[in-house]
Amino acid sequence: MAAPSQPVLFETRDHERWGEYISGAYGSSIRLGSPKDGHLLRHTRLAVDTFAIDTVQTIDMTYSVESLPTLMISRHRTAAFEYRSEGAEHRFGPGEMFLLSRSEVGTPYWLRTPQGGLQGISVPFPVLGQVAATAETRRPAPLLFTDLRPATRAAARQLGATIDYLEASLRDRPRIMAEPLVAGAAGRMLAATVLHTFPNTALFEPTIEDRHDAHSATLRRAMAFIDDNAHHDINAADIAAAAHVSLRALQYAFRRHRDTTPMGYLRQARLHQAHRELLAASPVGVTVTEIAARWGFFHPGRFAAYYRAVYACPPSQTLRREER
């Protein structure tokens, strides 16, 4: 297991240091306006390899950003933002959620932040690419988000709830979130929710070519790869590459022949391995939560529900079997 992720706190009243810090934190050239020195600025980061959640206490300030290497989502509950990019101006009101970056190509933008607390959520574009397929089947095109605002209020609420849950998990259960399979699964869950929240160029329905590739041999190759690699942090894009088909063809093959998804089958394979580990473990010095996390299950309640559906008992009963 990787070392548990601890909150990284940076505080300063020196705005030059603040500019240097955030440029390094976000991997971009960022120039600040000319605010008065002396005001406390605070940045707290909770992060794993697949996403980061930042909480920032700032003042009324402007930022000129060259570009961002990750997708960045901004949340502020109490005040308005001003945003300019590609010749367009936007104003986002209190409580709105919006994007600061739209593609891995990156474009410069100008932002004015209000005084108070705000939240920034960054998701690397490669993680988004693990759950998204773009219009080009044989030569994938870069993923592009076509609107800075969520498609619907319901989608925004769902994304907000997902972010809040992951933030609490990073803060309260750092050892669990540091498990490689958990970090991968959590990042892809967030990425999938983001893709369903903001309009973008990803396609989820198979093309004619995808349907042609979704035969039983594709399924057999994919299942063999999953069975052999369930202990690694693999994703749907990895499985598609191993099966020599597009991501949509892979998804359609599982839906057509197994009535599930590639990640659903991977979950079944990992559930089986967790069951074997529960059977072999001593009930002293080990917990269901630890075993579940090693196999990528970071939500204890969902793991228990999956387990009960397959094995007709709670996982804790399997672990305590020697006590009976």
Side-chain angles (χ1 to χ4, degrees):
M1 184 179 73
S5 176
Q6 300 297 328
V8 177
L9 173 65
F10 177 80
E11 292 181 319
T12 185
R13 295 182 185 273
D14 183 329
H15 295 139
E16 185 174 341
R17 286 191 64 209
W18 178 253
E20 293 173 354
Y21 174 79
I22 61 172
S23 292
Y26 295 114
S28 178
S29 174
I30 301 176
R31 300 191 310 276
L32 306 184
S34 301
K36 295 179 180 179
D37 281 326
H39 294 277
L40 181 66
L41 298 161
R42 178 184 294 120
H43 183 285
T44 305
R45 166 161 287 194
L46 290 164
V48 289
D49 290 342
T50 54
F51 68 96
I53 300 177
D54 299 324
T55 301
V56 184
Q57 188 69 30
T58 185
I59 61 174
D60 190 335
M61 184 181 293
T62 62
Y63 298 81
S64 296
V65 182
E66 186 175 294
S67 65
L68 289 176
T70 63
L71 184 77
M72 177 67 72
I73 306 160
S74 184
R75 300 172 79 189
H76 195 289
R77 294 182 173 87
T78 59
F81 278 81
E82 295 176 44
Y83 177 92
R84 301 173 192 164
S85 182
E86 300 179 291
E89 296 187 7
H90 304 269
R91 186 176 177 85
F92 301 98
E96 284 195 79
M97 186 183 303
F98 59 95
L99 297 179
L100 293 176
S101 55
R102 298 206 288 185
S103 78
E104 59 188 325
V105 175
T107 55
Y109 68 85
W110 176 94
L111 178 72
R112 181 173 183 173
T113 63
Q115 182 171 351
L118 59 94
Q119 189 178 56
I121 301 92
S122 40
V123 184
F125 280 99
V127 176
L128 290 158
Q130 292 171 5
V131 295
T134 51
E136 296 290 335
T137 300
R138 302 303 179 188
R139 183 173 53 83
L143 176 66
L144 173 67
F145 286 83
T146 56
D147 199 324
L148 299 174
R149 287 182 165 87
T152 66
R153 291 182 180 179
R157 286 194 297 271
Q158 178 61 41
L159 176 57
T162 301
I163 292 167
D164 291 342
Y165 173 76
L166 292 175
E167 181 185 25
S169 298
L170 285 169
R171 184 180 59 248
D172 301 336
R173 299 186 292 153
R175 289 185 60 82
I176 297 301
M177 295 301 293
E179 288 283 355
L181 299 191
V182 167
R188 287 187 288 275
M189 180 184 75
L190 176 59
T193 309
V194 168
L195 288 165
H196 285 284
T197 299
F198 294 96
N200 58 77
T201 57
L203 297 181
F204 296 96
E205 289 302 313
T207 64
I208 293 176
E209 292 170 318
D210 295 328
R211 292 176 187 273
H212 176 74
D213 289 341
H215 44 66
S216 57
T218 293
L219 185 70
R220 288 194 298 272
R221 288 195 298 268
M223 290 171 62
F225 178 77
I226 290 171
D227 292 339
D228 291 343
N229 293 275
H231 58 296
H232 294 303
D233 182 27
I234 58 174
N235 56 68
D238 295 328
I239 302 167
H244 311 299
V245 295
S246 72
L247 181 57
R248 289 188 304 273
L250 176 77
Q251 293 164 339
Y252 184 63
F254 272 90
R255 187 169 67 193
R256 177 182 178 186
H257 299 291
R258 298 279 300 193
D259 194 26
T260 187
T261 64
M263 301 312 287
Y265 183 81
L266 175 59
R267 184 178 66 230
Q268 293 171 21
R270 288 176 173 168
L271 186 67
H272 174 67
Q273 294 300 328
H275 172 67
R276 293 182 60 184
E277 192 166 335
L278 285 166
L279 285 172
S282 167
V284 178
V286 69
T287 68
V288 169
T289 300
E290 290 170 349
I291 292 175
R294 275 199 290 274
W295 289 101
F297 298 93
F298 63 94
H299 192 298
R302 289 178 185 167
F303 173 72
Y306 293 143
Y307 192 91
R308 187 186 292 271
V310 174
Y311 298 105
C313 69
S316 57
Q317 183 176 321
T318 302
L319 183 62
R320 295 195 306 265
R321 74 204 176 285
E322 294 181 0
E323 299 177 350
R324 298 195 301 271

